[in-house]
Amino acid sequence: DAGVIQSPRHEVTEMGQEVTLRCKPISGHNSLFWYRQTMMRGLELLIYFNNNVPIDDSGMPEDRFSAKMPNASFSTLKIQPSEPRDSAVYFCASSSLGDTEAFFGQGTRLTVV
Amino acid sequence: GQQVMQIPQYQHVQEGEDFTTYCNSSTTLSNIQWYKQRPGGHPVFLIQLVKSGEVKKQKRLTFQFGEAKKNSSLHITATQTTDVGTYFCAGGYGGATNKLIFGTGTLLAVQP
């Protein structure tokens, strides 16, 4: 397995534009997590899914953020409209149900100018 | 809500010195996991502790889980330059929820 795959690796966009981040979890994993990492706030859990169903989205900063998981092999995190304060590294991770280790993707470095 | 704090935020040591980072959760955990993130990289799983009072070792690394399952520590003996990175604990909140909250992390710098 190639591991968790995220795209794009880098994204530079202008304020107000829509941004879509993509994630392909490891095949067979039931849980998918979206994290945001900044110097100031560390690794924040934004949302996670179990069996494609969103379980907890309390970490999603505001309505500009949305996440979907239409099937077991794909998830998106969308920001519309984007703002400079959204600049961060966004990680997707997947794991099996039952408190097992999380495998992280390489991350998407987002810069909003 | 659940919060996981780590201290110190940053530690600078001479190669060969020991290093310890401490992790505290605001609520009881189902398990504690530890991850290492190299500069520019992504978090990589090191170990998971599940039982109250559990101690596990990986070569020069020793991991402990507190009796109350609310705190944990990672101790590195005789640090090496390859130990450089940020060490995160991550609190697992159990069972069917599978929720994983990361601590604030400790950045370790090792001077040769």
Side-chain angles (χ1 to χ4, degrees):
Chain A
D1 201 319
V4 177
I5 300 173
Q6 290 186 247
S7 64
R9 292 291 309 277
H10 302 272
E11 176 81 30
V12 180
T13 191
E14 290 185 346
M15 183 174 63
Q17 296 297 307
E18 177 180 297
V19 175
T20 299
L21 311 181
R22 296 173 175 79
C23 175
K24 181 182 187 310
I26 291 173
S27 177
H29 280 183
N30 314 95
S31 293
L32 184 140
F33 307 83
W34 282 101
Y35 290 91
R36 178 173 68 176
Q37 187 172 38
T38 60
M39 288 292 293
M40 292 297 295
R41 301 176 71 90
L43 262 170
E44 301 173 273
L45 176 62
L46 300 178
I47 185 171
Y48 76 102
F49 298 82
N50 284 350
N51 295 317
N52 313 338
V53 176
I55 303 300
D56 187 340
D57 66 353
S58 58
M60 296 285 261
E62 47 199 271
D63 292 346
R64 297 184 298 105
F65 286 68
S66 62
K68 294 181 180 179
M69 193 164 186
N71 57 63
S73 59
F74 184 65
S75 178
T76 59
L77 178 67
K78 185 177 293 186
I79 308 172
Q80 166 65 15
S82 59
E83 297 182 2
R85 58 191 169 126
D86 302 330
S87 297
V89 179
Y90 291 81
F91 286 106
C92 173
S94 71
S95 73
S96 299
L97 278 173
D99 296 334
T100 60
E101 68 178 281
F103 292 82
F104 280 74
Q106 299 290 324
T108 295
R109 181 173 295 276
L110 173 65
T111 303
V112 183
V113 298
Chain B
Q2 298 108 339
Q3 283 189 311
V4 182
M5 303 299 292
Q6 275 182 262
I7 55 170
Q9 286 188 333
Y10 173 77
Q11 183 87 57
H12 178 245
V13 299
Q14 293 285 127
E15 190 172 22
E17 292 182 337
D18 292 356
F19 159 76
T20 304
T21 173
Y22 300 90
C23 175
N24 281 287
S25 169
S26 58
T27 57
T28 302
L29 298 167
S30 168
N31 69 88
I32 192 88
Q33 300 178 17
W34 285 91
Y35 291 75
K36 178 182 178 181
Q37 184 178 22
R38 294 185 185 274
H42 60 279
V44 175
F45 176 82
L46 294 175
I47 206 161
Q48 177 175 271
L49 304 169
V50 178
K51 299 177 185 175
S52 169
E54 190 171 11
V55 177
K56 286 188 176 180
K57 292 192 175 185
Q58 285 181 349
K59 297 181 180 178
R60 294 178 294 105
L61 278 60
T62 301
F63 305 84
Q64 291 188 316
F65 199 12
E67 293 290 340
K69 300 185 75 172
K70 294 179 72 174
N71 56 72
S72 181
S73 66
L74 158 60
H75 180 82
I76 302 178
T77 304
T79 54
Q80 300 175 358
T81 54
T82 52
D83 295 327
V84 164
T86 301
Y87 291 85
F88 291 96
C89 63
Y93 290 88
T97 69
N98 226 38
K99 189 173 185 176
L100 196 60
I101 300 292
F102 276 74
T104 46
T106 297
L107 174 60
L108 172 63
V110 180
Q111 184 167 352

